Amino acid sequence: NAGVMQNPRHLVRRRGQEARLRCSPMKGHSHVYWYRQLPEEGLKFMVYLQKENIIDESGMPKERFSAEFPKEGPSILRIQQVVRGDSAAYFCASRKMGAGYTFGSGTRLTVV
Amino acid sequence: DAKTTQPTSMDCAEGRAANLPCNHSTISGNEYVYWYRQIHSQGPQYIIHGLKNNETNEMASLIITEDRKSSTLILPHATLRDTAVYYCIVRVRGSNYKLTFGKGTLLTVNP
């Protein structure tokens, strides 16, 4: 039973490009969370999604960031027109109803 | 969610018990205490959680004081692989499971 799969593990983008981060939850998990960890800091909640619905996006920057969790396929965190300050580790976690989180190994985004 | 306070860092000798404290003096009755850890460059790993009773699993024990204002995570026989940042998190029951991570405690297990 595979865990939460995130890809790519490492992503390098030039300023102004788009970054697309993918997260495949564990089998049977219908709740997905995205967290961001800036260098030397703790994890910060970004967004919580269920299939085809955004439940809580209170931690998501208002501009350039978007997330989706379609009926089929992985959850996608999309960052448009990346800037150096977006460089961070982005972690996805999934859970099923009534249970706790399982985190993925993260995507390290570097903006050059 | 209630704020938690943890020491910045701790050391422990390999094979000894590691006792990691956490203060959550403003915790309310419907808030759980969760512990996660993050080994360098990896995703956080769930360890244990509790509401008011002490809990034990294959990884650790969680001791919550009677007034619930503090708790201690106990790793009974620390190994070098337990070196990690340990996060104590308080979460409101039924709050969409959103977790608020602080800076945590860097536990270093020494040979």
Side-chain angles (χ1 to χ4, degrees), chain A residues 20-85:
Chain A
R20 291 171 68 88
L21 288 63
R22 288 178 292 279
C23 169
S24 296
M26 287 184 69
K27 187 176 180 181
H29 288 197
S30 58
H31 303 254
V32 167
Y33 300 75
W34 285 93
Y35 285 77
R36 176 165 68 172
Q37 186 170 32
L38 294 170
E40 308 303 321
E41 293 192 14
L43 286 84
K44 303 294 183 193
F45 167 80
M46 298 182 75
V47 62
Y48 162 39
L49 310 102
Q50 294 181 23
K51 284 285 187 182
E52 299 184 278
N53 287 304
I54 296 174
I55 307 301
D56 182 348
E57 55 182 349
S58 59
M60 192 100 95
K62 293 288 184 283
E63 297 180 354
R64 302 188 296 108
F65 284 72
S66 63
E68 63 177 10
F69 187 18
K71 187 177 180 181
E72 301 291 337
S75 175
I76 305 288
L77 178 68
R78 183 179 175 210
I79 311 172
Q80 295 178 287
Q81 299 175 312
V82 295
V83 300
R84 289 233 170 96

Side-chain angles (χ1 to χ4, degrees), chain B residues 10 12 15-22 33 35 37 47-49 54-65 71-79 82 86 88 107:
Chain B
M10 294 182 65
C12 177
R16 304 298 293 268
N19 297 282
L20 292 93
C22 179
V33 179
W35 284 84
R37 72 180 182 184
I47 302 173
I48 200 167
H49 77 280
N54 297 338
E55 302 287 345
T56 295
N57 63 22
E58 65 279 2
M59 287 184 69
S61 295
L62 174 60
I63 308 298
I64 303 174
T65 58
S71 61
T72 302
L73 178 74
I74 301 172
L75 308 178
H77 305 287
T79 71
D82 292 322
Y86 287 76
C88 169
L107 174 69

